[in-house]
Amino acid sequence: MKDLSLIRNFCIIAHIDHGKSTLADRLLELTKTIAMRDMEAQVLDGMDLERERGITIKAHPVTMHYAAKNGKTYTLNLIDTPGHVDFTYEVQRSLNACEAALLVVDTTQGVEAQTVANTFLAAGQNLVILPVLNKIDMPASLVEDTIKQIEEILTLPAHDAPRVSAKTGLGVPELLEYIVEHVPPPKISEAQLRALVFDSNFDSFRGVVPYIRVMDGTIKTGDRMRLMSTGQDYEVKEVGIFIPEMHKTGVLHAGEVGYVMGNIKDPSEVKVGDTVTLATRPTKHPLPGYKEIHPMVFSGIYPIDTDDLEKLKHSLGKYRLNDSSFTYMPESSVALGLGFRCGFLGLLHMEIVQERLRREYDVDIISTYPSVVYRVYTTDGKMEEIENPTKLPDQSKMLRIEEPMIKAFVICHNEHIGDYMKLNMDRRGTIEKTETLDHLRVMLTCSLPLNEILIDFQDKLKSLSRGYASMDYELAGYQESDLVKLDVLVHQEVVEAFSCIIHRTKAESRGRQLCAALKELIPPAMFNIAVQAAVNQKIVARETIKAMRKDVTAKCYGGDISRKRKLLEKQKEGKKKMKNIGSVSIPQEAFVKVLKGGLE
């Protein structure tokens, strides 16, 4: 068994773009975990998407060995975490596998919304929180102001906090000594094997690979392990650590972080938060798992080519293994065929999932307009949870609809308060309280409907504050609201893919947008096509796609006017008949353009 006093498990948490991944790079360099010739920026951000967007999407574990000044060599297990509000679940899973968290704060920006949220998450897990002041080499760095904010807003002592520049490496060697000194070593509570599954991945050759933190006992190649949630047993084929790629070690002791392989073929058999134990000597006390995460945003995902349905189904199964906060179930649409109703934690999460499905699994997909889960109370005393607008009961059977509300925390400059208040009111929000953080910034606590921040709220917030405002939010229950179902009719037929649940005051403007967009995208037929938006069967907006006109009088060269009239009347009758029996085919591009938000 390894000496626990020489193991340190910690994660890095911070607001988005405060330098988590860059700091992880410097730690890997100094501990010589990665050779300088293999070094690249944001080495733990392995996905193309992470590099392109400059954000961390997945938590990444890595084991480092550090020779401290006291002559001892320590094993440092680091987990780099995301900073965006949509990936809070990744952060939460990482915290469960650690004893401490390095809270990185950008001294040019100060404490921001996600800094506050992640601190509360870490405090809730009883972790030791160690503030680290980053970007001290920048001319705009305000170290003393940042220390004051950390102590006043987060109530964490910060006067002795390490001051570093993750970009240049300044102060990082001292940070390693600080980690060894202040991060507590792991503790053991029983002799039997108990390992926590904090993440997993799918390898097409070796099956499902659970990432584990061993809390108690030892696991080695050749053991028979048991997943406690399913009761399934597997032979352990390989055990190892991340440096940062997988490295076979043959054994993992208590306090260590690594991976285990056991010919697990079905992705659904591994649940994040599960306890791994030995089949021969199972523990009677499974580790407390994670709380169930409920998706906040729903959208339909359909293959553009219907032959790709099976491929999409398998891809979603494999993807869910890598992202347990994502959910899906089969559904069908008259316009789009067979597909899946998918649940996401937020809009960026939805965007990332769709992009990863396209890139990593090579599936061409289309998604429907995002919606949230509404509670509908019917006249027969039942309550239904509706996330798909097409499942909304008839108006006559509904007593009331409740929509999910969020409590948003917005940190912005004093000069932008007026602009933000206007944006908040436009989105049916109310401001509950205002707190002054320092002479430059304020924190606003607001109540908003979740539906109103789905599409472009973050973009609008960033543009009106010139990029300085930051926002974090949490669910705050349900509230009754005057919501209606908006339908789009093309040639008197409802197109379900464009249906959405919307507030009555915004239904007309949204209907006009949809009708105007479809008028441009649907090709004309030989008869006039009516594109209408309706609320409870009452038309609130209309556009007409004019018929293609064939010049039937072209062959008339002179003669009586009645000959031309006769031909025109004949054409009119034909168009009338065609309008009654004709059908309108909406091209796939129209769905793609409108559902991807092409309404500006």
Side-chain angles (χ1 to χ4, degrees):
M1 186 176 148
K2 273 206 170 183
D3 184 356
L4 290 179
S5 66
L6 298 177
I7 297 176
R8 300 288 183 270
N9 296 319
F10 64 97
C11 61
I12 303 179
I13 56 174
H15 186 81
I16 191 167
D17 204 28
H18 274 210
K20 297 177 299 302
S21 299
T22 312
L23 181 59
D25 288 352
R26 297 295 82 76
L27 294 174
L28 290 169
E29 270 178 22
L30 282 168
T31 55
K32 297 184 173 57
T33 306
I34 291 181
M36 286 305 289
R37 66 175 180 274
D38 299 325
M39 199 65 202
E40 56 184 348
Q42 294 168 337
V43 70
L44 292 183
D45 291 348
M47 268 184 257
D48 292 341
L49 261 178
E50 291 181 310
R51 296 183 180 284
E52 280 170 29
R53 290 170 178 251
I55 59 173
T56 303
I57 294 166
K58 286 291 297 170
H60 302 273
V62 64
T63 299
M64 303 174 285
H65 297 288
Y66 172 61
K69 288 179 181 174
N70 60 12
K72 295 177 182 177
T73 299
Y74 291 84
T75 299
L76 309 180
N77 292 313
L78 157 69
I79 302 176
D80 181 27
T81 63
H84 194 278
V85 60
D86 280 11
F87 302 110
T88 303
Y89 186 57
E90 288 285 331
V91 180
Q92 193 181 342
R93 296 185 334 191
S94 307
L95 295 174
N96 279 274
C98 300
E99 274 78 40
L102 296 187
L103 178 70
V104 177
V105 184
D106 180 347
T107 52
T108 65
Q109 304 276 343
V111 170
E112 298 209 45
Q114 201 65 20
T115 317
V116 179
N118 285 337
T119 305
F120 288 151
L121 269 178
Q125 301 287 346
N126 296 318
L127 263 65
V128 173
I129 304 168
L130 306 171
V132 176
L133 307 174
N134 190 21
K135 304 190 186 180
I136 59 163
D137 60 316
M138 302 286 280
S141 172
L142 299 166
V143 176
E144 291 307 316
D145 286 2
T146 307
I147 289 172
K148 194 177 172 188
Q149 287 173 23
I150 292 171
E151 293 189 337
E152 289 182 2
I153 301 167
L154 307 176
T155 62
L156 294 171
H159 268 287
D160 299 327
R163 293 157 169 75
V164 304
S165 167
K167 193 173 183 181
T168 64
L170 178 69
V172 181
E174 291 78 10
L175 175 63
L176 279 165
E177 287 293 325
Y178 186 82
I179 289 167
V180 166
E181 196 178 322
H182 291 85
V183 174
K187 292 188 177 82
I188 296 179
S189 45
E190 63 174 75
Q192 268 80 16
L193 170 69
R194 293 197 306 168
L196 180 72
V197 179
F198 68 88
D199 204 350
S200 53
N201 208 341
F202 187 84
D203 186 297
S204 48
F205 298 106
R206 298 184 284 188
V208 183
V209 183
Y211 296 0
I212 60 169
R213 153 74 199 273
V214 183
M215 297 295 185
D216 304 304
T218 302
I219 186 167
K220 59 184 184 296
T221 308
D223 284 344
R224 279 198 73 76
M225 66 173 182
R226 177 172 295 168
L227 294 174
M228 293 193 77
S229 67
T230 60
Q232 295 270 29
D233 295 351
Y234 307 92
E235 187 184 344
V236 178
K237 298 288 184 187
E238 189 179 316
V239 175
I241 58 173
F242 299 95
I243 58 168
E245 70 281 352
M246 290 181 180
H247 175 71
K248 198 191 300 186
T249 58
V251 64
L252 280 177
H253 299 282
E256 293 189 303
V257 175
Y259 67 90
V260 58
M261 292 182 194
N263 282 351
I264 306 171
K265 295 285 185 283
D266 187 358
S268 63
E269 288 175 25
V270 176
K271 292 180 173 60
V272 169
D274 201 354
T275 302
V276 175
T277 189
L278 291 178
T280 49
R281 286 179 289 114
T283 178
K284 291 177 182 171
H285 312 289
L287 295 161
Y290 302 111
K291 66 177 182 182
E292 194 69 32
I293 288 290
H294 299 288
M296 297 167 79
V297 177
F298 285 84
S299 172
I301 289 184
Y302 296 84
I304 285 183
D305 184 350
T306 50
D307 294 341
D308 286 344
L309 182 68
E310 272 309 302
K311 186 180 178 185
L312 176 60
K313 185 180 176 182
H314 286 302
S315 301
L316 290 172
K318 288 177 187 174
Y319 180 83
R320 193 185 184 297
L321 183 73
N322 198 236
D323 182 355
S324 54
S325 55
F326 164 76
T327 62
Y328 69 98
M329 63 187 82
E331 78 163 1
S332 62
S333 157
V334 176
L336 300 170
L338 294 170
F340 298 90
R341 191 83 186 155
C342 302
F344 312 91
L345 294 182
L347 217 70
L348 177 68
H349 186 212
M350 182 176 93
E351 205 180 309
I352 295 296
V353 169
Q354 290 171 9
E355 194 60 35
R356 284 184 67 188
L357 285 171
R358 289 188 185 100
R359 291 188 189 196
E360 295 172 27
Y361 300 98
D362 193 29
V363 187
D364 227 356
I365 54 171
I366 175 177
S367 63
T368 61
Y369 194 76
S371 68
V372 297
V373 181
Y374 298 95
R375 287 181 179 169
V376 179
Y377 292 84
T378 53
T379 48
D380 56 4
K382 290 182 183 171
M383 187 276 281
E384 294 178 45
E385 291 200 334
I386 306 283
E387 86 282 338
N388 191 340
T390 56
K391 292 180 181 171
L392 200 66
D394 189 71
Q395 185 73 20
S396 59
K397 293 178 182 171
M398 289 192 293
L399 282 176
R400 68 181 191 277
I401 306 181
E402 291 182 353
E403 64 180 336
M405 302 296 289
I406 59 159
K407 183 177 271 192
F409 306 97
V410 177
I411 295 179
C412 66
H413 280 203
N414 297 336
E415 62 199 84
H416 301 134
I417 290 180
D419 295 329
Y420 175 71
M421 284 181 168
K422 184 178 182 305
L423 174 65
N424 194 55
M425 284 168 64
D426 290 345
R427 300 303 173 95
R428 301 189 285 123
T430 54
I431 292 176
E432 293 177 353
K433 66 175 177 181
T434 308
E435 295 172 80
T436 303
L437 300 182
D438 53 34
H439 64 286
L440 276 179
R441 302 185 307 159
V442 290
M443 183 159 94
L444 305 165
T445 306
C446 324
S447 178
L448 280 155
L450 175 60
N451 193 33
E452 292 291 340
I453 68 161
L454 281 189
I455 301 301
D456 57 356
F457 188 82
Q458 295 269 19
D459 297 341
K460 288 264 168 62
L461 179 64
K462 287 290 180 191
S463 61
L464 67 84
S465 67
R466 299 198 288 279
Y468 285 110
S470 62
M471 183 180 99
D472 182 60
Y473 61 84
E474 59 187 40
L475 270 180
Y478 279 75
Q479 185 174 299
E480 186 179 347
S481 194
D482 186 12
L483 298 164
V484 292
K485 181 185 171 193
L486 178 71
D487 285 317
V488 172
L489 295 86
V490 176
H491 194 50
Q492 278 83 50
E493 282 188 26
V494 175
V495 183
E496 287 182 353
F498 298 132
S499 295
C500 60
I501 297 171
I502 196 165
H503 196 265
R504 194 181 295 275
T505 56
K506 300 195 171 190
E508 190 176 325
S509 61
R510 170 77 186 161
R512 287 185 192 282
Q513 281 182 316
L514 280 166
C515 291
L518 289 171
K519 184 185 177 183
E520 300 298 318
L521 296 165
I522 297 174
M526 295 303 290
F527 52 90
N528 285 352
I529 301 170
V531 181
Q532 299 162 309
V535 172
N536 300 332
Q537 298 176 346
K538 180 189 171 188
I539 305 299
V540 294
R542 174 185 169 126
E543 295 282 352
T544 304
I545 301 168
K546 293 290 183 188
M548 287 191 290
R549 188 165 181 270
K550 185 182 175 185
D551 190 1
V552 291
T553 62
K555 58 188 175 185
C556 292
Y557 48 91
D560 190 10
I561 188 69
S562 59
R563 286 182 67 202
K564 284 189 178 182
R565 278 204 190 122
K566 191 176 175 183
L567 287 167
L568 289 167
E569 284 298 321
K570 191 176 177 184
Q571 185 189 38
K572 192 176 173 184
E573 285 299 314
K575 282 187 182 289
K576 198 172 177 183
K577 186 178 177 185
M578 204 183 289
K579 189 176 180 181
N580 290 333
I581 62 166
S583 63
V584 178
S585 174
I586 304 174
Q588 195 74 34
E589 303 84 67
F591 286 109
V592 175
K593 184 93 187 324
V594 172
L595 295 173
K596 279 188 178 173
L599 300 178
E600 279 73 22

